[in-house]
Amino acid sequence: MNLAAATNENLANLSNTLIYSAMAVYTLAFFAYIAEWLFGSRSKVGRTAAALTADQAKKAAPAVTVQKAGGATAVLERPERPEVVVRAAAGARDVPDGPGAHGGDEQGDLYGRIAVSLTVLAFAIEFGGVLTRALSVERAPWGNMYEFNITFSTVAVGVYLALLALKKNVRWLGLFLITTVLLDLGIAVTVLYTASDQLVPALHSYWLYIHVSTAILCGAVFYVGAVGTILYLFKDSYESKLASGGKPGRFATSVMERLPASASLDKFSYRVNAAVFPLWTFTIIAGAIWAGDAWGRYWGWDPKETWAFITWVAYACYLHARATAGWKGRKAAYIALVAFACWLFNYYGVNIFVSGKHSYAGV
């Protein structure tokens, strides 16, 4: 074995070690996020805020006296603001955002900050694992599903940390994100693991860096939007039950009252999906150009191309629905989840179960 080969093997082993180390730190972050939610459940800040909001909503403006036929009078109670219940419209309810997973509890907030710090450390370690994997094969680290998975989870965590750095109220996303990142890495190192190897001839192109990198970034942002959409559906149902006089269970109340309002979650999901949609459009165009260079045709309705286009259509329908009055809210949210399901099938389903020119799963 020559020196270069030995060096590459050592780098590959180092990459594996770093990925497993990142999983260990992510696990610690997972427990810290759990602690944040548990300590936050003790706090009455969220419940108090919800109660005050409900009391304010019930307050009425000064009574109005009207003159009826025959000289009689009647007193009408007029709300300060007319109650308009339109479930399809975002922001229809005057509900404040929750205090966050920590629920206003000081110790819960401490665990939340520890969780974020551990997430930053795990992200740095995982990024090192991806980088050493790239150095070991002397190419971009996304030539198979294992490499795509570890890169995807790294970028997803990076998007979350970037939103935190921009002072966005997204720490509630941490527990859900880290849970799925651990699942993603667990699948990667057990089911999808592929030893370092060179690319198939069709992938030897600078378009690999352009097309696949943008696809990974889009998938990570779509994932963040999907989590927000799922939480929006739960929070919207919770608010609807309260508005109709129902009493949700203690666990549901403890969790839901600490999340942002359904209108805020709906707006968050829409903004992240809308922001990345043009990049997904570019990803498909870049893939078509690459196909023209590699196979002599720009579009051939290969399964991967077909599902990429289906995903594009689904997100286009979501954005259109979100801008249409009768389709805002829950209806649009369902379309967003269908669109993300299309993206997941385009990655896992097509790569594993469908044969085509893009069959580079490596499993």
Side-chain angles (χ1 to χ4, degrees):
M1 181 181 294
N2 57 37
L3 180 60
T7 301
N8 289 343
E9 183 178 352
N10 289 334
L11 286 170
N13 292 333
L14 176 59
S15 173
N16 295 338
T17 301
L18 289 173
I19 294 300
Y20 278 104
S21 299
M23 292 177 66
V25 181
Y26 277 133
T27 301
L28 294 177
F30 169 79
F31 285 116
Y33 282 116
I34 287 288
E36 179 186 19
W37 280 92
L38 288 177
F39 281 100
S41 67
R42 306 182 310 174
S43 175
K44 296 182 178 180
V45 172
R47 287 185 288 275
T48 302
L52 289 174
T53 302
D55 290 341
Q56 291 173 356
K58 292 177 180 178
K59 289 181 179 179
V64 178
T65 303
V66 297
Q67 188 78 26
K68 298 177 66 176
T73 60
V75 178
L76 300 179
E77 296 291 339
R78 181 167 57 88
E80 196 168 312
R81 285 185 297 178
E83 182 181 1
V84 180
V85 181
V86 183
R87 296 195 59 200
R93 304 185 189 93
D94 186 15
V95 178
D97 289 341
H102 56 82
D105 182 85
E106 184 176 348
Q107 196 166 5
D109 182 61
L110 173 62
Y111 277 107
R113 287 185 278 115
I114 292 173
V116 172
S117 298
L118 289 170
T119 303
V120 172
L121 177 59
F123 167 78
I125 296 173
E126 188 181 11
F127 180 81
V130 173
L131 180 60
T132 50
R133 176 76 176 198
L135 294 174
S136 72
V137 292
E138 301 178 355
R139 58 168 172 79
W142 42 72
N144 51 60
M145 286 187 70
Y146 168 74
E147 295 173 355
F148 191 100
N149 265 44
I150 61 175
T151 306
F152 170 79
S153 59
T154 304
V155 174
V157 175
V159 170
Y160 166 66
L161 295 177
L163 290 173
L164 286 177
L166 293 172
K167 307 298 183 182
K168 302 298 182 181
N169 176 25
V170 295
R171 205 165 84 184
W172 48 267
L173 185 64
L175 177 60
F176 308 98
L177 173 68
I178 298 307
T179 301
T180 49
V181 164
L182 283 171
L183 291 173
D184 177 78
L185 290 177
I187 293 173
V189 300
T190 55
V191 178
L192 303 177
Y193 180 77
T194 304
S196 300
D197 200 359
Q198 296 304 310
L199 296 172
V200 297
L203 295 181
H204 283 286
S205 172
Y206 61 89
W207 283 105
L208 174 69
Y209 295 89
I210 301 173
H211 172 66
V212 183
S213 63
T214 55
I216 292 173
L217 177 58
C218 289
V221 178
F222 283 149
Y223 162 75
V224 171
V227 173
T229 299
I230 292 172
L231 293 178
Y232 157 73
L233 291 172
F234 280 108
K235 188 63 182 278
D236 182 67
S237 296
Y238 173 78
E239 291 177 2
S240 296
K241 191 169 186 178
L242 289 178
S244 61
K247 293 184 178 180
R250 177 178 295 183
F251 177 77
T253 300
S254 175
V255 173
M256 291 298 151
E257 71 184 5
R258 286 179 276 162
L259 291 175
S262 62
S264 298
L265 290 169
D266 184 41
K267 186 183 298 182
F268 169 78
S269 301
Y270 169 70
R271 285 179 174 176
V272 296
N273 285 326
V276 81
F277 181 73
L279 187 60
W280 181 247
T281 304
F282 170 78
T283 300
I284 295 176
I285 295 173
I289 297 174
W290 187 8
D293 290 343
W295 302 314
R297 59 43 165 196
Y298 293 103
W299 196 269
W301 295 105
D302 180 79
K304 177 70 71 172
E305 297 168 350
T306 300
W307 277 96
F309 178 69
I310 291 174
T311 303
W312 184 91
V313 171
Y315 273 108
C317 289
Y318 162 69
L319 295 177
H320 177 72
R322 187 59 176 67
T324 304
W327 279 81
K328 287 183 180 179
R330 298 184 69 87
K331 291 181 181 179
Y334 291 136
I335 299 175
L337 293 182
V338 169
F340 185 67
C342 291
W343 187 92
L344 285 178
F345 182 79
N346 185 35
Y347 175 53
Y348 286 102
V350 173
N351 281 357
I352 297 175
F353 302 112
V354 182
S355 297
K357 288 183 175 293
H358 291 79
S359 299
Y360 310 129
V363 296

PDB file of all heavy atoms in Angstrom, residues 9-23:
ATOM      1  N   GLU A   9      -6.930   6.033   3.633  1.00  0.00           N
ATOM      2  CA  GLU A   9      -7.592   5.081   4.528  1.00  0.00           C
ATOM      3  C   GLU A   9      -7.663   5.633   5.946  1.00  0.00           C
ATOM      4  O   GLU A   9      -8.681   5.488   6.637  1.00  0.00           O
ATOM      5  CB  GLU A   9      -6.845   3.755   4.517  1.00  0.00           C
ATOM      6  CG  GLU A   9      -7.523   2.680   5.376  1.00  0.00           C
ATOM      7  CD  GLU A   9      -6.810   1.349   5.315  1.00  0.00           C
ATOM      8  OE1 GLU A   9      -5.879   1.206   4.506  1.00  0.00           O
ATOM      9  OE2 GLU A   9      -7.203   0.449   6.089  1.00  0.00           O
ATOM     10  N   ASN A  10      -6.600   6.281   6.368  1.00  0.00           N
ATOM     11  CA  ASN A  10      -6.597   6.885   7.706  1.00  0.00           C
ATOM     12  C   ASN A  10      -7.633   8.000   7.807  1.00  0.00           C
ATOM     13  O   ASN A  10      -8.312   8.147   8.832  1.00  0.00           O
ATOM     14  CB  ASN A  10      -5.206   7.426   8.032  1.00  0.00           C
ATOM     15  CG  ASN A  10      -4.185   6.329   8.269  1.00  0.00           C
ATOM     16  OD1 ASN A  10      -4.553   5.214   8.653  1.00  0.00           O
ATOM     17  ND2 ASN A  10      -2.911   6.622   8.024  1.00  0.00           N
ATOM     18  N   LEU A  11      -7.741   8.783   6.735  1.00  0.00           N
ATOM     19  CA  LEU A  11      -8.741   9.847   6.726  1.00  0.00           C
ATOM     20  C   LEU A  11     -10.152   9.273   6.763  1.00  0.00           C
ATOM     21  O   LEU A  11     -11.039   9.815   7.434  1.00  0.00           O
ATOM     22  CB  LEU A  11      -8.559  10.725   5.490  1.00  0.00           C
ATOM     23  CG  LEU A  11      -7.358  11.677   5.502  1.00  0.00           C
ATOM     24  CD1 LEU A  11      -7.166  12.304   4.126  1.00  0.00           C
ATOM     25  CD2 LEU A  11      -7.544  12.767   6.559  1.00  0.00           C
ATOM     26  N   ALA A  12     -10.377   8.167   6.035  1.00  0.00           N
ATOM     27  CA  ALA A  12     -11.695   7.528   6.047  1.00  0.00           C
ATOM     28  C   ALA A  12     -12.035   7.013   7.442  1.00  0.00           C
ATOM     29  O   ALA A  12     -13.171   7.158   7.916  1.00  0.00           O
ATOM     30  CB  ALA A  12     -11.727   6.382   5.034  1.00  0.00           C
ATOM     31  N   ASN A  13     -11.049   6.416   8.115  1.00  0.00           N
ATOM     32  CA  ASN A  13     -11.270   5.932   9.482  1.00  0.00           C
ATOM     33  C   ASN A  13     -11.537   7.100  10.433  1.00  0.00           C
ATOM     34  O   ASN A  13     -12.388   7.006  11.336  1.00  0.00           O
ATOM     35  CB  ASN A  13     -10.058   5.133   9.966  1.00  0.00           C
ATOM     36  CG  ASN A  13      -9.892   3.822   9.214  1.00  0.00           C
ATOM     37  OD1 ASN A  13     -10.865   3.259   8.712  1.00  0.00           O
ATOM     38  ND2 ASN A  13      -8.664   3.328   9.136  1.00  0.00           N
ATOM     39  N   LEU A  14     -10.804   8.189  10.238  1.00  0.00           N
ATOM     40  CA  LEU A  14     -11.032   9.377  11.060  1.00  0.00           C
ATOM     41  C   LEU A  14     -12.432   9.926  10.837  1.00  0.00           C
ATOM     42  O   LEU A  14     -13.110  10.349  11.783  1.00  0.00           O
ATOM     43  CB  LEU A  14      -9.988  10.445  10.740  1.00  0.00           C
ATOM     44  CG  LEU A  14     -10.149  11.796  11.466  1.00  0.00           C
ATOM     45  CD1 LEU A  14     -10.095  11.605  12.975  1.00  0.00           C
ATOM     46  CD2 LEU A  14      -9.080  12.778  10.999  1.00  0.00           C
ATOM     47  N   SER A  15     -12.874   9.916   9.588  1.00  0.00           N
ATOM     48  CA  SER A  15     -14.228  10.388   9.275  1.00  0.00           C
ATOM     49  C   SER A  15     -15.268   9.566  10.015  1.00  0.00           C
ATOM     50  O   SER A  15     -16.202  10.118  10.622  1.00  0.00           O
ATOM     51  CB  SER A  15     -14.478  10.314   7.765  1.00  0.00           C
ATOM     52  OG  SER A  15     -15.833  10.613   7.464  1.00  0.00           O
ATOM     53  N   ASN A  16     -15.114   8.242  10.001  1.00  0.00           N
ATOM     54  CA  ASN A  16     -16.067   7.372  10.706  1.00  0.00           C
ATOM     55  C   ASN A  16     -16.067   7.674  12.205  1.00  0.00           C
ATOM     56  O   ASN A  16     -17.127   7.726  12.839  1.00  0.00           O
ATOM     57  CB  ASN A  16     -15.713   5.903  10.461  1.00  0.00           C
ATOM     58  CG  ASN A  16     -15.867   5.504   9.003  1.00  0.00           C
ATOM     59  OD1 ASN A  16     -16.589   6.155   8.251  1.00  0.00           O
ATOM     60  ND2 ASN A  16     -15.189   4.449   8.598  1.00  0.00           N
ATOM     61  N   THR A  17     -14.881   7.867  12.755  1.00  0.00           N
ATOM     62  CA  THR A  17     -14.778   8.172  14.182  1.00  0.00           C
ATOM     63  C   THR A  17     -15.480   9.480  14.523  1.00  0.00           C
ATOM     64  O   THR A  17     -16.196   9.588  15.532  1.00  0.00           O
ATOM     65  CB  THR A  17     -13.297   8.259  14.602  1.00  0.00           C
ATOM     66  OG1 THR A  17     -12.652   7.020  14.316  1.00  0.00           O
ATOM     67  CG2 THR A  17     -13.169   8.570  16.078  1.00  0.00           C
ATOM     68  N   LEU A  18     -15.294  10.481  13.662  1.00  0.00           N
ATOM     69  CA  LEU A  18     -15.926  11.777  13.907  1.00  0.00           C
ATOM     70  C   LEU A  18     -17.445  11.688  13.797  1.00  0.00           C
ATOM     71  O   LEU A  18     -18.165  12.335  14.580  1.00  0.00           O
ATOM     72  CB  LEU A  18     -15.380  12.812  12.919  1.00  0.00           C
ATOM     73  CG  LEU A  18     -13.929  13.251  13.150  1.00  0.00           C
ATOM     74  CD1 LEU A  18     -13.446  14.140  12.009  1.00  0.00           C
ATOM     75  CD2 LEU A  18     -13.800  13.994  14.485  1.00  0.00           C
ATOM     76  N   ILE A  19     -17.940  10.912  12.853  1.00  0.00           N
ATOM     77  CA  ILE A  19     -19.392  10.769  12.710  1.00  0.00           C
ATOM     78  C   ILE A  19     -19.981  10.108  13.952  1.00  0.00           C
ATOM     79  O   ILE A  19     -21.010  10.555  14.491  1.00  0.00           O
ATOM     80  CB  ILE A  19     -19.739   9.957  11.444  1.00  0.00           C
ATOM     81  CG1 ILE A  19     -19.340  10.726  10.184  1.00  0.00           C
ATOM     82  CG2 ILE A  19     -21.237   9.638  11.407  1.00  0.00           C
ATOM     83  CD1 ILE A  19     -20.017  12.071  10.025  1.00  0.00           C
ATOM     84  N   TYR A  20     -19.337   9.057  14.444  1.00  0.00           N
ATOM     85  CA  TYR A  20     -19.821   8.407  15.664  1.00  0.00           C
ATOM     86  C   TYR A  20     -19.702   9.345  16.870  1.00  0.00           C
ATOM     87  O   TYR A  20     -20.576   9.357  17.754  1.00  0.00           O
ATOM     88  CB  TYR A  20     -19.040   7.116  15.922  1.00  0.00           C
ATOM     89  CG  TYR A  20     -19.533   5.934  15.129  1.00  0.00           C
ATOM     90  CD1 TYR A  20     -18.832   5.467  14.018  1.00  0.00           C
ATOM     91  CD2 TYR A  20     -20.712   5.269  15.481  1.00  0.00           C
ATOM     92  CE1 TYR A  20     -19.286   4.380  13.279  1.00  0.00           C
ATOM     93  CE2 TYR A  20     -21.182   4.179  14.748  1.00  0.00           C
ATOM     94  CZ  TYR A  20     -20.464   3.741  13.649  1.00  0.00           C
ATOM     95  OH  TYR A  20     -20.923   2.670  12.923  1.00  0.00           O
ATOM     96  N   SER A  21     -18.644  10.139  16.915  1.00  0.00           N
ATOM     97  CA  SER A  21     -18.492  11.107  18.006  1.00  0.00           C
ATOM     98  C   SER A  21     -19.592  12.159  17.950  1.00  0.00           C
ATOM     99  O   SER A  21     -20.140  12.564  18.987  1.00  0.00           O
ATOM    100  CB  SER A  21     -17.115  11.777  17.920  1.00  0.00           C
ATOM    101  OG  SER A  21     -16.074  10.828  18.037  1.00  0.00           O
ATOM    102  N   ALA A  22     -19.914  12.612  16.740  1.00  0.00           N
ATOM    103  CA  ALA A  22     -21.001  13.584  16.577  1.00  0.00           C
ATOM    104  C   ALA A  22     -22.319  12.996  17.065  1.00  0.00           C
ATOM    105  O   ALA A  22     -23.113  13.692  17.723  1.00  0.00           O
ATOM    106  CB  ALA A  22     -21.116  14.014  15.119  1.00  0.00           C
ATOM    107  N   MET A  23     -22.553  11.721  16.765  1.00  0.00           N
ATOM    108  CA  MET A  23     -23.781  11.075  17.228  1.00  0.00           C
ATOM    109  C   MET A  23     -23.842  11.057  18.752  1.00  0.00           C
ATOM    110  O   MET A  23     -24.915  11.270  19.348  1.00  0.00           O
ATOM    111  CB  MET A  23     -23.866   9.652  16.669  1.00  0.00           C
ATOM    112  CG  MET A  23     -24.073   9.580  15.170  1.00  0.00           C
ATOM    113  SD  MET A  23     -24.070   7.878  14.544  1.00  0.00           S
ATOM    114  CE  MET A  23     -25.567   7.237  15.329  1.00  0.00           C
TER     115      MET A  23
END
